[in-house]
């Protein structure tokens, strides 16, 4: 990630093809409505420190035959990516009918109605920790496969481990919901800014402060 960290050396973060290519992304996939973000020095340092932890997205891994349960974490409020996560979870259940499927409510909305699942729902906003903790109540086994958006996956897995889960696999999708009500999930740069500041502010606060769009 050193090339990417060098990219953030100026006071303005210019959003153009260099950013996408530095992450080996197709620059045509993501549309940015702001030509640049102004990041103060402490924020740039936070971003650099976050990137220094390694690649910000994960690839699928693990043997699903070792999992007794599946936990699917939503990504944004819009259906775009959550439909993909629902389809992914449904396919896993089809291939492994004995696996216990647990879905966050935004994903469960798009899951086949004739399938047996546990829905993790709440009228209030649910954090990744809320989902991992609540899922503990639905099954005794702790061997889990995580289903998540690939840039969200690292935090989902770390959170599951912190809550006592044994993560034996990951299955993920790569897209971002460009028009989601939550600005921080709309593209990779917004996500990186949000994740690097999540210990000091909420997603909404970060979005407002940096005018993420």
């Amino acid at each position: 990630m050193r090339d990417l960290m060098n990219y953030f050396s100026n006071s303005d973060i210019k959003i153009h093809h260099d950013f996408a290519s530095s992450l080996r992304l197709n620059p045509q996939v993501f549309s940015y409505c702001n030509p640049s973000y102004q990041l103060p020095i402490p924020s740039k340092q936070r971003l650099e420190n976050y990137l220094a932890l390694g690649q910000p997205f994960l690839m699928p891994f693990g043997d699903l035959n070792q999992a007794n349960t599946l936990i699917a974490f939503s990504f944004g409020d819009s259906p775009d990516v959550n439909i993909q996560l629902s389809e992914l979870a449904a396919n896993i259940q089809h291939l492994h009918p004995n696996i216990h499927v647990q879905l966050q409510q935004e994903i469960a909305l798009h899951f086949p109605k004739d399938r047996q699942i546990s829905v993790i729902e709440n009228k209030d906003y649910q954090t990744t920790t809320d989902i991992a903790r609540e899922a503990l109540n639905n099954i005794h086994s702790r061997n889990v496969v995580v289903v998540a958006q690939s840039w969200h996956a690292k935090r989902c897995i770390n959170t599951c481990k912190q809550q006592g889960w044994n993560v034996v696999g990951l299955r993920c999708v790569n897209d971002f919901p460009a028009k989601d009500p939550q600005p921080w999930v709309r593209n990779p740069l917004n996500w990186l800014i949000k994740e690097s500041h999540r210990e000091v502010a909420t997603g909404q606060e970060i979005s407002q402060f940096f005018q993420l769009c």
Side-chain angles (χ1 to χ4, degrees), residues 3 8 10 28 36 61-62 75 81 108 110 124 126 129 132 137 139 187 197 205:
D3 290 342
F8 297 112
N10 298 321
Q28 305 301 328
S36 66
F61 68 86
F75 194 69
V81 173
H110 311 288
D124 297 322
Q126 296 184 101
T129 300
N137 299 322
I139 190 172
N187 58 62
H197 289 75
E205 291 168 341

Side-chain angles (χ1 to χ4, degrees), residues 72-128:
F73 294 85
S74 69
F75 194 69
D77 285 335
S78 64
D80 302 27
V81 173
N82 290 323
I83 288 177
Q84 296 182 46
L85 292 167
S86 175
E87 292 172 346
L88 181 56
N91 185 55
I92 293 172
Q93 188 187 50
H94 175 71
L95 296 174
H96 302 269
N98 292 325
I99 200 167
H100 179 231
V101 175
Q102 305 193 62
L103 307 178
Q104 193 168 345
Q105 59 191 9
E106 291 85 356
I107 298 174
L109 288 173
H110 311 288
F111 204 79
K113 303 302 181 184
D114 59 341
R115 302 282 191 90
Q116 184 173 358
I117 60 172
S118 295
V119 181
I120 304 175
E121 58 185 336
N122 195 302
K123 64 179 180 179
D124 297 322
Y125 178 81
Q126 296 184 101
T127 66
T128 305

Side-chain angles (χ1 to χ4, degrees), residues 182-200:
Q182 299 176 352
W184 61 91
V185 301
R186 292 174 185 166
N187 58 62
L189 180 54
N190 285 13
W191 180 255
L192 288 174
I193 292 174
K194 181 262 184 180
E195 284 296 285
S196 60
H197 289 75
R198 62 180 301 271
E199 294 180 356
V200 296

Side-chain angles (χ1 to χ4, degrees), residues 60-66 168-171:
F61 68 86
D63 181 3
L64 296 182
N65 291 312
Q66 297 179 7
V168 298
L170 168 70
R171 296 297 183 270

